[in-house]
Amino acid sequence: MVYTPFNAGEILTAGKLGSRLIEEVMDWTPFTDIGVFSAGFSAAALTPMMRKVRELGQDRWEYKGRITVAAGTLTANVNTTAYTFNVGYRPTTEHGWQLAGGATGFYGVRTTISSAGLLQVGLPTGAGNGTNGILLDGLHINAPI
């Protein structure tokens, strides 16, 4: 007889697996502990943070918080490095997103994280240069390594 751990259509739960479906590998950690901000960028009151979780055996890195941007730091149509992650907190390939920003004229903030650990941001011409913050909420990387 063939061993079948679960029947077709059966709902899997942590109890049935005898393990965790979701496991926190690294607790929410402030950016100030895992890298360095570039000039003109800093941690806001809603501290930028990162955590590592494993969902059904797959790694997922999650980010939250707000990065404060000093007036005039972001120039339209220019990639600007806002932060550099230390080794161990860098993905193996580049990832990119559109994030919300403060005072961007409702334009999104183009955001990338490179394998060198650079968190780079950029704005289109219409956004101007008065951006005062970047929100990281909802930002995540599946299978970062």
Side-chain angles (χ1 to χ4, degrees):
M1 177 187 259
V2 176
Y3 170 71
T4 308
F6 304 103
N7 296 318
E10 184 176 357
I11 296 174
L12 299 180
T13 64
K16 288 180 183 174
L17 288 172
S19 65
R20 296 179 179 170
L21 294 176
I22 299 175
E23 174 185 8
E24 190 170 60
V25 179
M26 180 183 90
D27 195 13
W28 286 111
T29 304
F31 272 24
T32 51
D33 292 351
I34 58 175
V36 62
F37 285 99
S38 299
F41 298 90
S42 60
L46 182 56
T47 304
M49 300 179 129
M50 173 187 175
R51 79 172 176 167
K52 297 179 181 182
V53 295
R54 188 167 293 129
E55 296 179 3
L56 294 173
Q58 172 147 341
D59 288 336
R60 175 182 171 106
W61 294 358
E62 299 178 342
Y63 306 86
K64 70 177 182 178
R66 179 182 174 105
I67 296 174
T68 298
V69 182
T73 299
L74 285 180
T75 304
N77 300 318
V78 175
N79 254 354
T80 304
T81 300
Y83 181 83
T84 303
F85 288 93
N86 293 335
V87 173
Y89 306 97
R90 301 174 179 181
T92 54
T93 59
E94 183 177 38
H95 297 271
W97 308 266
Q98 283 286 3
L99 298 178
T104 62
F106 296 100
Y107 287 94
V109 179
R110 179 190 175 279
T111 310
T112 61
I113 298 177
S114 72
S115 58
L118 303 178
L119 175 71
Q120 294 188 314
V121 295
L123 295 166
T125 302
N129 67 353
T131 302
N132 60 18
I134 301 165
L135 301 171
L136 301 176
D137 298 334
L139 182 63
H140 67 272
I141 300 173
N142 287 324
I145 298 176

